[in-house]
Amino acid sequence: MEKRISRKITVILAVLLVVFAIGGNGTASIVKASEQQVRNVIFMIPDGFSSAYATNYRLYKGKESIMDSMLVGMHRTNSANSAVTDSAAAGTAMATGVKTNNGMISMSPDGKKLRTILQASKSAGKSAGLVATSTITYATPAVFASHVTSRANEAEIAPQYLENDVDVLLGGGKKYFPDQLLNQAKEDGYRIVFERKGLTYARKSKKLLGLFSEEGMAAELDRKRTKEPSLVEMTEMALNILSQNKKGFFVMIEGSQIDWAGHANDPAWAMKDIEAFEQAVEKAVDFAKKDKHTLVVIAGDHDNGGMSVGGYGEYAAKIDLLRQVKATGNYMATQLNEDKSNIKEVVKKYTAIDLADEEVKKIKAASVPSMAINEVVSKRALVGWTTNQHTGVDIPVYAFGPGSELFKGLIDNTDLPKRMAKAMNIQLIQGK
């Protein structure tokens, strides 16, 4: 009798083990209980991304993205003082677990500094990194390792990264790191690189500061015209360096340009930068699969542009047209001559679109030619936009690896860092 009961208990425990081994990827694999411990968190933020972007990208790609199978829930994005957040307030909630006002960087509405998930990870002996295709001092990366009342104070944000001992910093924004700060970084043990090829020699570095442009990095559509690395190359290097710490790491990796594409209402820019972000996600997931102690969490901070799937009165989508676009609207506008007499030729060269005379007139008369070009491309692809600013819709949450079940359902953006801290068994307590 006792043997039969013991056998039943063993079977039940085995079933439970399999159930808990099913992460957000929906694939079962038998994992020992000890392997469920989360040492590393890779937090990936496709800035400005929403379900409409996800759907359009699936159509653009022609099949499911790697993220589709990892979908676990949604999160609410409102800030402390608005139903529509900006990146500073959204990022603060996602880094600290506390709502703040638009424009504030990891400070409460009454001006108190808020402890971040990155700082909590460092206190636990882990390494930490920030990767972005914007300036590395821009709102989203800034919230994880700095505290300022205004996101515009990027020159004040940069030195705080060194004060908080962020081990890996990769992105744009060289203008915010004067020689004095770069010299301090060298003294603090950072290897400093300014071009893509510099990453080749940085693999064995303990600390790395990569500043690949004066301001924001190039859109993925335009990157081939620069000496900048891709997001996946920066991701690979960050993971390589941070994983040297046996106590683990926390890293935030942002696809910043998705948001900028939304502000520009540029659908091709958006799709190409989602593609670049997906490649970085694939690299992160591959790392997590091999490591078995890594949690990957993906969540946009807010929607941008109010993108639609289909539009302009047609029950259709023609996203495949965007695969022929070879430059952003911003870049195309720089190729127009002074009297804009070459509009047809430029648009044809970079989009394969033969403009109608009315479209040429509209672009020529526009005060911002790039926006007019983007409107033409959007209309041809049947991608609608409601604004060139943020909206307040709920945002998809994706997760992979041990702890992914913590992010299921409709949660708040403030829940994200709290649940990461729980997964890593570290303390994210404000005021301490």
Side-chain angles (χ1 to χ4, degrees):
M1 183 69 175
E2 288 180 359
K3 288 183 178 180
R4 196 177 303 130
I5 292 172
S6 177
R7 199 176 298 118
K8 286 182 178 179
I9 290 172
T10 301
V11 171
I12 291 169
L13 288 173
V15 170
L16 287 173
L17 187 60
V18 172
V19 169
F20 283 113
I22 299 175
N25 63 332
T27 302
S29 60
I30 298 175
V31 181
K32 294 178 182 178
S34 61
E35 292 180 339
Q36 288 297 306
Q37 179 188 357
V38 176
R39 281 200 301 262
N40 314 311
V41 167
I42 304 173
F43 190 13
M44 307 190 73
I45 301 177
D47 201 301
F49 181 91
S50 65
S51 57
Y53 283 76
T55 304
N56 272 329
Y57 179 67
R58 192 181 308 118
L59 296 172
Y60 172 85
K61 185 178 181 180
K63 60 182 179 179
E64 287 194 351
S65 77
I66 187 175
M67 295 179 289
D68 285 339
S69 65
M70 298 163 56
L71 182 69
V72 291
M74 304 280 285
H75 76 90
R76 297 184 292 268
T77 65
N78 63 287
S79 67
N81 67 339
S82 176
V84 180
T85 189
D86 79 328
S87 290
T92 295
M94 297 166 81
T96 70
V98 178
K99 298 276 189 186
T100 196
N101 296 335
N102 287 355
M104 300 184 77
I105 298 290
S106 288
M107 297 188 77
S108 64
D110 59 357
K112 295 178 182 177
K113 292 182 179 180
L114 299 169
R115 181 176 169 87
T116 76
I117 185 70
L118 183 148
Q119 291 174 312
S121 298
K122 290 293 294 185
S123 294
K126 298 179 184 293
S127 294
L130 297 171
V131 178
T133 52
S134 61
T135 58
I136 196 62
T137 48
Y138 215 60
T140 303
V143 298
F144 290 90
S146 70
H147 307 84
V148 293
T149 54
S150 172
R151 59 181 291 176
N153 298 334
E154 293 187 63
E156 293 179 33
I157 290 166
Q160 292 190 44
Y161 288 162
L162 304 189
E163 292 167 15
N164 282 297
D165 194 29
V166 184
D167 302 277
V168 175
L169 295 161
L170 300 175
K174 184 180 177 184
K175 66 182 289 186
Y176 298 111
F177 290 79
D179 289 343
Q180 183 180 357
L181 192 56
L182 291 177
N183 289 334
Q184 182 186 332
K186 288 178 183 177
E187 290 177 9
D188 291 345
Y190 286 89
R191 186 184 187 101
I192 301 173
V193 298
F194 299 116
E195 293 183 0
R196 180 188 182 193
K197 65 181 181 181
L199 286 180
T200 306
Y201 309 105
R203 187 166 295 276
K204 294 184 179 180
S205 304
K206 297 294 183 183
K207 302 174 79 172
L208 179 62
L209 172 60
L211 301 169
F212 303 107
S213 58
E214 285 295 311
E215 298 191 32
M217 293 176 68
E220 183 63 19
L221 273 174
D222 303 333
R223 185 177 61 81
K224 60 183 174 289
R225 303 177 183 93
T226 73
K227 296 180 180 179
E228 299 173 8
S230 65
L231 184 60
V232 69
E233 289 170 332
M234 292 192 291
T235 296
E236 182 178 19
M237 184 55 64
L239 295 178
N240 179 74
I241 292 172
L242 296 172
S243 61
Q244 296 176 55
N245 187 342
K246 293 181 179 180
K247 290 185 178 180
F249 64 83
F250 171 88
V251 64
M252 189 289 299
I253 299 167
E254 183 193 32
S256 320
Q257 303 277 335
I258 301 166
D259 176 68
W260 294 1
H263 280 301
N265 287 180
D266 189 330
W269 180 359
M271 294 301 106
K272 194 66 176 178
D273 265 273
I274 296 172
E275 181 179 76
F277 182 79
E278 184 187 30
Q279 291 168 0
V281 170
E282 186 172 6
K283 183 66 64 176
V285 169
D286 284 347
F287 177 91
K289 285 179 179 177
K290 294 174 184 175
D291 177 73
K292 301 187 189 305
H293 296 281
T294 298
L295 168 64
V296 180
V297 179
I298 305 165
D301 50 355
H302 52 72
D303 172 62
N304 195 356
M307 176 191 277
S308 71
V309 180
Y312 301 97
E314 292 190 43
Y315 285 1
K318 299 178 181 179
I319 307 300
D320 55 324
L321 176 149
L322 300 178
R323 292 198 291 269
Q324 302 176 59
V325 179
K326 305 303 180 185
T328 62
N330 286 347
Y331 181 80
M332 284 185 263
T334 68
Q335 301 305 296
L336 300 178
N337 55 30
E338 192 172 347
D339 64 359
K340 300 178 185 175
S341 60
N342 63 337
I343 291 173
K344 264 195 172 184
E345 292 77 10
V346 168
V347 173
K348 176 69 173 179
K349 179 179 179 180
Y350 293 107
T351 70
I353 292 173
D354 290 308
L355 292 176
D357 290 342
E358 283 302 312
E359 291 171 325
V360 173
K361 289 178 183 177
K362 190 169 187 178
I363 295 168
K364 194 167 187 176
S367 58
V368 184
S370 61
M371 292 293 288
I373 293 170
N374 294 340
E375 185 177 351
V376 169
V377 174
S378 295
K379 193 168 184 178
R380 293 292 189 101
L382 299 181
V383 175
W385 304 89
T386 62
T387 179
N388 60 4
Q389 299 298 328
H390 299 175
T391 76
V393 301
D394 297 339
I395 302 299
V397 178
Y398 309 87
F400 177 90
S404 57
E405 71 281 353
L406 294 171
F407 301 87
K408 289 182 178 179
L410 177 60
I411 61 177
D412 196 79
N413 55 8
T414 55
D415 292 321
L416 292 165
K418 294 173 185 176
R419 298 184 187 195
M420 290 176 204
K422 181 178 180 180
M424 287 189 286
N425 194 28
I426 63 175
Q427 297 295 316
L428 179 63
I429 302 173
Q430 297 306 326
K432 292 188 179 182

